[in-house]
Amino acid sequence: MADRVKFIAGNWKMFKDIEGAKEFADAFLKLNRPAGIKVAVCAPFLQLTTLVDAFAGTGIGVGAQNVHFEDSGAFTGEIAVPMLKEVGVDYCIIGHSERREYFGETDETVNKKLKKLFNTSDIIPILCVGEKLDEREAGVQQDIVSAQLEKDLAGLDADTVKELVIAYEPIWAIGTGKTATPDQAQEMCAFIRGKLASMYDQATADAVIIQYGGSVKPGNAKDIIGKPDIDGALVGGASLDPEGFTSLIAAAAE
Ligand code: PGA
């Protein structure tokens, strides 16, 4: 099994202005974080420069939450990969369920965005997959995630996919306080790894960092991230407070 580094990424969604991002960074940098665990904060576009500057030289990564799949063009309101490169971000969330649900993101656009990021930058995509509540209740969650992976990763080769971060986020657990049990999360993350092994090979599957996301908090992080196929978390609400996020990271590192 590959030695995967644990990786905790915050997803601020549409929270915090520039002043709020500065305050977070000042407080966060004063707190002690365990070594040997990767940390990143994915912020709204306008707050990225502030965080890139604040976290320069600290090892803390900065991520965007979306990007367009063309380099430039008449796409009002969009942001392109070269623009993210210019700002100096390390990561970009792709295919978050909120973008799939409210902003017309499809597996096809997700696939184009992954290709653009991999082909033209060294920004690491954090690809989100996951099922809705009715799909979980119907017992088809693995079919849903399997189909997402096939479409989202179409045309990407093993060497590329090795660099990817995948976040398994059951939609019914996002922002609801309803977390998947550690066993449910482990079951799906192991399924995803098995699916990658069948699409590519075992070495590729073993290299991919697979996070769980959905109501991860300081109190449940240790049990979830302690599971063998769960390498970290994508954290929404609990990433907004520097002290809380730090204790979550500490719990995950245990
Ligand atoms: P949550 O969000 O931690 O607030 O549930 C997770 C996410 O949407 O990435």
Side-chain angles (χ1 to χ4, degrees), residues 44-77:
F45 290 124
L46 290 175
Q47 281 66 273
L48 293 174
T49 305
T50 302
L51 292 185
V52 168
D53 290 347
F55 293 154
T58 65
I60 300 166
V62 177
Q65 302 171 0
N66 182 38
V67 74
H68 197 269
F69 51 78
E70 295 290 349
D71 278 334
S72 63
F75 301 106
T76 302

Side-chain angles (χ1 to χ4, degrees), residues 159-242:
D159 279 345
T160 304
V161 167
K162 266 184 193 150
E163 306 299 322
L164 184 66
V165 176
I166 296 179
Y168 166 56
E169 298 207 313
I171 296 168
W172 47 273
I174 296 178
T176 57
K178 211 173 157 187
T179 325
T181 65
D183 286 341
Q184 281 175 323
Q186 161 59 22
E187 188 182 33
M188 183 62 90
C189 290
F191 172 78
I192 291 171
R193 207 175 296 288
K195 176 77 187 171
L196 294 173
S198 73
M199 288 171 71
Y200 299 96
D201 52 66
Q202 194 61 48
T204 303
D206 284 341
V208 174
I209 292 176
I210 304 180
Q211 299 173 321
Y212 166 79
S215 299
V216 178
K217 305 274 180 281
N220 60 22
K222 181 175 178 239
D223 287 345
I224 294 170
I225 295 160
K227 294 287 179 185
D229 285 291
I230 305 179
D231 308 315
L234 185 57
V235 183
S239 70
L240 293 170
D241 169 60

Side-chain angles (χ1 to χ4, degrees), residues 6 8 34 37 216-226 244-254:
K6 285 184 187 165
I8 307 290
I37 183 163
V216 178
K217 305 274 180 281
N220 60 22
K222 181 175 178 239
D223 287 345
I224 294 170
I225 295 160
F245 192 43
T246 301
S247 43
L248 191 159
I249 294 162
E254 274 178 33

Side-chain angles (χ1 to χ4, degrees), residues 108-187:
E108 288 67 34
T109 56
V110 165
N111 179 250
K112 285 185 184 179
K113 291 175 182 191
L114 292 177
K115 284 179 175 159
K116 178 56 75 176
L117 280 169
F118 277 127
N119 291 338
T120 66
S121 80
D122 51 16
I123 298 169
I124 297 174
I126 302 176
L127 166 65
C128 299
V129 296
E131 81 284 358
K132 300 191 177 100
L133 181 60
D134 59 332
E135 294 163 342
R136 163 82 42 180
E137 285 171 350
V140 296
Q141 65 272 17
Q142 293 189 346
D143 301 333
I144 297 296
V145 169
S146 173
Q148 286 174 338
L149 289 172
E150 281 173 20
K151 291 184 201 155
D152 295 353
L153 302 182
L156 296 175
D157 64 18
D159 279 345
T160 304
V161 167
K162 266 184 193 150
E163 306 299 322
L164 184 66
V165 176
I166 296 179
Y168 166 56
E169 298 207 313
I171 296 168
W172 47 273
I174 296 178
T176 57
K178 211 173 157 187
T179 325
T181 65
D183 286 341
Q184 281 175 323
Q186 161 59 22
E187 188 182 33

